Amino acid sequence: MRDKILEATAAMLVAHGTQAPMSKIAQRAGVATGSLYNHFENKDVLIRAVYEQLGQALERALVGGDDPSLSAQERLVLYIENHIDFIWADADRAVLFEYLSNVPLLPGSEVLESFQGPIDFIAQLLQDLQAEGWAVAGEACVISSFIGGAIRNTLKWERTFGRPLSEETRDQLREMCLRGARAPQPA
């Protein structure tokens, strides 16, 4: 029941923002309003749970898909591939992610807490690549935001134009992310 409520809340956030009343969320989830309140005392708690669920899903996809036996460069490629898969696999989740990125409904510290696992993972990976001289110098959070934003925005437009995710587009997106993260190479 909790998952049905969170799924309904996510859909209502995308469709109506925070204006959707709890009764409409309960109706969409197919539960009584009282049952909704048994799981979540108010809308703020419910919205926090949506962030947490999205953060957990992202962590499973990006961190859970990691293979520590690979080199740092190979792990970055895998991270980018997993990120592309995560955003492309579920159009509704991609819209929710975009909405929550553009219209934060929680204080920044709480948003960061929900996504701490993936944030820490990519920061460490990029720092390792910087130490090897492979990655561009600078803040790891800026580099990782560039990669994530490039993936989300590109795939949003592919969907908008009604195009499937082709292998050529996937390869181009991956290579552009890698080039954006890579330190300048001597001529």
Side-chain angles (χ1 to χ4, degrees):
M1 181 181 298
R2 186 175 197 281
D3 288 341
K4 285 174 41 177
I5 293 169
L6 290 174
E7 184 179 308
T9 304
M12 294 301 279
L13 284 172
V14 170
H16 305 288
T18 58
Q19 303 307 313
M22 294 288 272
S23 60
K24 293 288 186 187
I25 293 169
Q27 182 181 15
R28 181 164 181 131
V31 301
T33 303
S35 295
L36 189 139
Y37 282 105
N38 287 337
H39 292 276
F40 305 97
E41 65 185 72
N42 58 45
K43 195 182 294 182
D44 288 340
V45 172
L46 185 54
I47 289 170
R48 279 180 181 81
V50 169
Y51 271 94
E52 289 169 12
Q53 184 181 52
L54 186 58
Q56 290 166 359
L58 185 65
E59 186 167 358
R60 281 190 304 274
L62 302 183
V63 178
D66 183 45
D67 182 352
S69 70
L70 299 175
S71 71
Q73 292 172 31
E74 292 169 321
R75 291 171 70 201
L76 180 60
V77 170
L78 183 60
Y79 171 89
I80 291 168
E81 288 288 339
N82 289 340
H83 206 133
I84 291 169
D85 290 341
F86 177 79
I87 297 299
W88 190 257
D90 184 335
D92 292 336
R93 183 178 60 203
V95 171
L96 174 66
F97 201 101
E98 187 79 13
Y99 177 76
L100 295 178
S101 294
N102 291 322
V103 185
L105 302 176
L106 299 176
S109 61
E110 291 183 43
V111 172
L112 289 174
E113 189 176 307
S114 296
F115 296 96
Q116 200 63 56
I119 290 169
D120 290 345
F121 173 79
I122 189 60
Q124 185 60 59
L125 183 57
L126 289 167
Q127 288 167 4
D128 292 348
L129 287 165
Q130 287 171 331
E132 293 175 9
W134 187 92
V136 66
E139 292 293 324
C141 67
V142 173
I143 302 166
S144 66
S145 294
F146 171 83
I147 291 169
I151 292 168
R152 287 191 312 275
N153 198 47
T154 300
L155 298 182
K156 172 183 69 180
W157 285 106
E158 288 301 294
R159 280 194 176 98
T160 299
F161 292 126
R163 295 191 289 238
L165 180 58
S166 68
E167 284 304 314
E168 293 81 16
T169 299
R170 172 187 285 280
D171 291 347
Q172 181 182 7
L173 181 54
R174 181 189 60 247
E175 292 307 312
M176 289 171 59
C177 288
L178 290 169
R179 280 196 304 270
R182 186 148 193 199
Q185 301 299 299

